[in-house]
Amino acid sequence: MTQEIGGFAALGLTQNILAALTAVGYEEPSPIQQQAIPVILAGHDMIGQAQTGTGKTAAFALPLLSRIDPAKREPQALILAPTRELALQVATAFETYSKQMPGLNVVAVYGGAPMGPQLKAIRQGAQVIVATPGRLVDHLRRDEKVLSTIQHLVLDEADEMLKLGFMDDLEVIFQAMPESRQSVLFSATLPHSIRAIAEKHLKSPQHIKIAAKTQTVARIEQAHLLIHADQKVNAVLRLLEVEEFDALIAFVRTKQATLDLASALEAKGYKAAALNGDIAQNQRERVIDSLKDGRLDIVVATDVAARGLDVPRITHVFNVDMPYDPESYVHRIGRTGRAGREGRALLLVTPRERRMLQVIERVTGQKVGEVKLPNAQQVLDARIKKLTSSLAPLVADAEASHGDLLDRLTADIGCSPRALAAALLRKATNGQALTLADVEKEQPLVPSSGPRDRGDRPDRGERPARGDRERRAPMPLAEGRARCRTALGARDGIAAKNLLGAILNEGGLAREAIGRIQIRESFSLVELPEEGLDRLLGKLKDTRVGGKPLKLRRYRED
Ligand code: AMP
């Protein structure tokens, strides 16, 4: 067992879980894990204030798995999540952390998939159920005993669940579980409605919150890029083409990620190395020395391994994986801008982590502006600029030393000086793409695995704008929401409040359940909860607004 896992071992997790953590390469608990794991292990009810990106999933999954008995083949833990995406993500996390627990089964229960196999898995004794509330209630209607053996409940992203209108479903679910259970609630915010739930259904809960002290960040230019997780390595490669950096440190979360990114960078010819907790201390020092004296330009590190790293050459910090909290963000980006120099910090943000970005902005009191992935034209311009600056200093005396050779070669080969110079350039640039068409062909971005309806897909701005403007990306949709369209618009005298009123009254939704309403001249768009949408549209079938039929339909962008 490595020294860093000691951080987890000290929290009281079982050996099986510790072994799984070593396998995934986590080096130390995040702040929320540090605080929540002992509380949950001790069996207390708990309210945790944390958003995605803080490591909250492991904060409840690890202690719960330590408390579950795999020999008992019955549902023991229930995790409720607002959306299918999150439910699947949480279920995958449970599977990963329980790799060394034979007999432990996890079932994900969500709408849009057949109910039969889900119910079968529950009946066969899956110990962990990860569910969206709507679908779970459907199961309860068929079999009210489904949750009768649950001993641990987690409400994940409770505020999101309420926003999506799951209040009533939650009440049904609470009633179906034994009162003796342990209940844990995670929420990014604690509005009155969440406190009311906690008051009613949790027993003397302990509160856990990662204190966010205001931090100041000076002299560092900060930006963020929205990107899906599976495109991060490609994005880093592309960004590096256009960023003018001296030395750079890239932060990731796991040992494996340090190795993966460092080798991708090396393969592209960068002088890069990984720095993680598995690397012996003297070797770590060698890596840092190499970064200092220029034998290395890029170090890919975990937070633990980069502790105390102070290299004045660092001009850039790339936060490839989100830090766990604003303090750690400030700490990371403080690696650049040393000794009064300017520094630049870039943060990659996946769609689910946008909230964490807002927290960072709030705590640092600074806006972290958005940048887009460089397009092919920008990459090409940057390559040509580098070539120009590497060749320019040679031109002055090369003619004196190699001019005669040039004459001889052109004569021998029987070609023009231009043809020979072109051949030499091709050789010198090692087959690098140096025309727009060739750059466009390379680095294809891996198709995103995320939901299709977001406007943040990075490949949108990919092609250079050829005279006309880039296609305007649709407004990003929050997760768990669907966009609906009505043919009623401004020309029908419709205002947002008319639509809102009609949907609230006739659809029986809470105000929070309705997202953005956009009124256009000849139509309008409304954001509604994805779960139960068909039921809702059914209810609104005959609704009229301003005397005209509303006829709300699901809207597809493309
Ligand atoms: P979450 O906030 O639960 O969505 O977690 C965000 C990401 O952090 C996930 O990709 C986890 O795999 C990762 N993660 C969670 N805890 C740790 C840890 N202690 N060390 C490294 N990575 C972690």
Side-chain angles (χ1 to χ4, degrees):
M1 193 179 298
T2 64
Q3 199 188 339
E4 284 77 14
I5 287 293
F8 278 109
L11 297 177
L13 297 166
T14 58
Q15 286 307 324
N16 289 341
I17 302 291
L18 294 177
L21 290 177
T22 309
V24 284
Y26 292 2
E27 298 195 322
E28 63 168 9
S30 72
I32 192 87
Q33 292 164 3
Q34 190 88 43
Q35 293 193 45
I37 290 173
V39 173
I40 300 177
L41 271 180
H44 296 296
D45 281 11
M46 195 196 91
I47 300 176
Q49 212 176 334
Q51 43 274 312
T52 299
T54 50
K56 68 177 165 59
T57 314
F60 61 77
L62 302 176
L64 287 186
L65 284 169
S66 286
R67 301 197 71 208
I68 285 171
D69 179 0
K72 260 202 221 158
R73 304 198 62 80
E74 59 186 27
Q76 296 172 43
L78 169 66
I79 323 304
L80 289 175
T83 63
R84 172 164 72 167
E85 290 75 25
L86 184 63
L88 284 168
Q89 204 172 303
V90 171
T92 309
F94 267 91
E95 276 162 7
T96 306
Y97 304 139
S98 64
K99 282 248 162 71
Q100 315 280 340
M101 294 176 67
L104 190 119
N105 290 305
V106 181
V107 55
V109 167
Y110 50 84
M115 288 182 69
Q118 297 176 353
L119 198 56
K120 192 166 162 215
I122 299 174
R123 292 211 172 116
Q124 282 176 346
Q127 293 88 345
V128 179
I129 304 178
V130 186
T132 53
R135 173 51 71 93
L136 189 61
V137 167
D138 291 343
H139 280 292
L140 279 170
R141 288 211 181 96
R142 286 191 183 182
D143 177 358
E144 60 186 23
K145 291 260 166 279
V146 175
L147 302 178
S148 60
T149 53
I150 295 292
Q151 294 162 22
H152 314 278
L153 165 73
V154 178
L155 302 179
D156 194 10
E157 302 197 355
D159 48 357
E160 291 298 316
M161 278 196 270
L162 293 198
K163 270 192 209 151
L164 294 175
F166 283 133
M167 186 73 177
D168 294 347
D169 289 340
L170 289 184
E171 285 298 331
V172 174
I173 294 168
F174 278 122
Q175 300 312 324
M177 282 180 294
E179 278 207 11
S180 57
R181 66 169 190 272
Q182 173 184 31
S183 307
V184 171
L185 179 154
F186 274 94
S187 194
T189 56
L190 292 184
H192 176 73
S193 47
I194 301 283
R195 290 177 200 272
I197 288 193
E199 193 127 308
K200 189 165 166 204
H201 297 287
L202 271 58
K203 297 181 287 290
S204 324
Q206 299 205 7
H207 285 247
I208 283 190
K209 183 179 176 180
I210 304 302
K213 290 187 246 84
T214 307
Q215 307 269 328
T216 41
V217 193
R219 303 190 66 86
I220 299 168
E221 192 188 315
Q222 301 167 64
H224 77 273
L225 176 89
L226 280 171
I227 191 92
H228 282 284
D230 58 4
Q231 299 185 332
K232 282 184 179 177
V233 174
N234 262 333
V236 170
L237 292 174
R238 182 119 24 129
L239 287 164
L240 286 178
E241 296 247 15
V242 300
E243 291 289 336
E244 288 177 24
F245 66 95
D246 192 4
L248 180 148
I249 178 157
F251 282 100
V252 294
R253 284 198 167 173
T254 63
K255 292 170 195 171
Q256 194 55 46
T258 62
L259 301 175
D260 292 347
L261 183 55
S263 57
L265 292 170
E266 278 192 298
K268 286 281 172 192
Y270 291 103
K271 293 185 282 175
L275 198 65
N276 64 48
D278 270 357
I279 297 172
Q281 189 55 34
N282 56 355
Q283 171 65 15
R284 284 193 220 177
E285 279 158 21
R286 273 206 293 278
V287 169
I288 294 170
D289 286 345
S290 305
L291 190 65
K292 279 187 183 150
D293 64 25
R295 275 172 295 154
L296 283 176
D297 291 328
I298 304 180
V299 163
V300 186
T302 55
D303 291 286
V304 182
R307 244 172 230 158
L309 186 149
D310 183 5
V311 178
R313 263 188 80 219
I314 295 178
T315 51
H316 282 61
V317 171
F318 274 19
N319 291 287
V320 178
D321 289 336
M322 182 69 93
Y324 296 117
D325 52 20
E327 283 85 350
S328 147
Y329 173 77
V330 172
H331 196 67
R332 283 180 178 187
I333 70 171
R335 302 315 165 96
T336 181
R338 291 276 161 133
R341 300 183 202 196
E342 299 287 323
R344 182 159 157 78
L346 233 120
L347 176 66
L348 302 194
V349 182
T350 64
R352 295 197 51 78
E353 292 168 342
R354 276 189 256 212
R355 206 174 204 149
M356 189 70 176
L357 172 67
Q358 290 165 7
V359 175
I360 288 175
E361 289 182 329
R362 204 178 57 234
V363 170
T364 57
Q366 284 184 20
K367 188 107 193 89
V368 180
E370 185 179 354
V371 288
K372 296 278 178 209
L373 266 188
N375 61 30
Q377 184 67 56
Q378 289 164 314
V379 170
L380 177 65
D381 290 347
R383 285 184 188 173
I384 292 177
K385 193 171 164 200
K386 270 186 209 142
L387 198 56
T388 310
S389 53
S390 67
L391 290 177
L394 308 179
V395 172
D397 57 356
E399 200 170 349
S401 61
H402 287 68
D404 289 347
L405 179 63
L406 182 84
D407 290 342
R408 165 136 191 220
L409 288 175
T410 47
D412 286 357
I413 300 169
C415 67
S416 66
R418 186 169 191 263
L420 184 58
L424 290 171
L425 274 176
R426 184 191 285 163
K427 193 159 187 224
T429 54
N430 251 332
Q432 191 184 34
L434 284 163
T435 64
L436 190 55
D438 286 346
V439 177
E440 276 179 348
K441 267 188 246 145
E442 68 177 16
Q443 296 181 345
L445 281 176
V446 188
S448 128
S449 59
R452 293 224 48 217
D453 52 3
R454 298 178 182 283
D456 54 16
R457 302 212 318 149
D459 44 353
R460 282 261 157 86
E462 173 88 335
R463 301 193 143 263
R466 291 216 178 86
D468 54 343
R469 253 175 286 143
E470 285 175 8
R471 184 179 154 190
R472 203 169 63 134
M475 295 273 241
L477 259 182
E479 206 162 295
R481 286 195 190 275
R483 194 168 274 138
C484 294
R485 181 183 191 279
T486 164
L488 301 182
R491 67 168 180 208
D492 303 292
I494 297 293
K497 65 170 191 273
N498 307 124
L499 288 184
L500 184 66
I503 298 170
L504 285 178
N505 289 337
E506 310 216 4
L509 290 185
R511 171 66 192 92
E512 303 88 78
I514 303 177
R516 200 167 24 212
I517 299 181
Q518 295 163 267
I519 308 284
R520 299 280 162 77
E521 191 52 29
S522 59
F523 67 97
S524 305
L525 301 174
V526 188
E527 293 173 13
L528 294 167
E530 175 68 63
E531 279 257 347
L533 184 63
D534 293 337
R535 222 182 320 156
L536 175 68
L537 294 181
K539 274 198 206 164
L540 296 172
K541 190 162 52 67
D542 301 319
T543 301
R544 299 175 82 83
V545 182
K548 297 184 177 164
L550 173 64
K551 288 209 179 128
L552 205 54
R553 301 269 182 279
R554 212 179 254 277
Y555 175 65
R556 307 221 182 260
E557 251 89 21
D558 42 24

